[in-house]
């Protein structure tokens, strides 16, 4: 009985949080869900196959950028400048 009560409370909490998130996104002037104005370069230790991140090898050469920004919309569109 206790497990069922906890499971129901957790499910209702998740539904409530999702409802608030979607209502906020729908009522906002823009449908951006994530925005950033800082990016980081790929540095030497993460190039090649020596230190893969999530089983993905780094590029062949280290690189750097002067600036970067971007955003992700609720519809799944990603823009990076």
């Amino acid at each position: 009985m206790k497990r069922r009560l906890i499971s129901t409370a957790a499910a209702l909490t998740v539904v409530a949080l999702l409802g608030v998130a979607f209502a906020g996104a729908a009522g906002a002037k823009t449908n951006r869900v994530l925005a950033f104005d800082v990016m980081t370069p790929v540095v030497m230790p993460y190039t090649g196959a020596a230190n893969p991140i999530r089983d993905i090898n780094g590029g062949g050469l280290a690189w750097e950028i002067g600036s970067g920004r971007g955003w992700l919309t609720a519809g799944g569109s990603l823009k990076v400048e």
Side-chain angles (χ1 to χ4, degrees):
M1 182 68 173
K2 188 175 182 180
R3 284 187 200 176
R4 182 181 239 174
L5 181 61
I6 291 172
S7 296
T8 303
L12 290 174
T13 302
V14 169
V15 168
L17 290 174
L18 287 174
V20 168
F22 284 117
K29 186 174 182 178
T30 180
N31 63 354
R32 291 182 185 170
V33 294
L34 173 70
F36 56 90
D37 59 4
V38 175
M39 294 175 66
T40 188
V42 174
V43 293
M44 190 55 96
Y46 298 102
T47 60
N51 296 304
I53 297 174
R54 295 185 179 166
D55 297 326
I56 298 174
N57 295 332
L61 298 172
W63 58 273
E64 62 182 70
I65 58 175
S67 66
R69 66 183 182 147
W71 53 88
L72 174 67
T73 66
S77 176
L78 175 65
K79 178 154 185 163
V80 178
E81 297 177 341

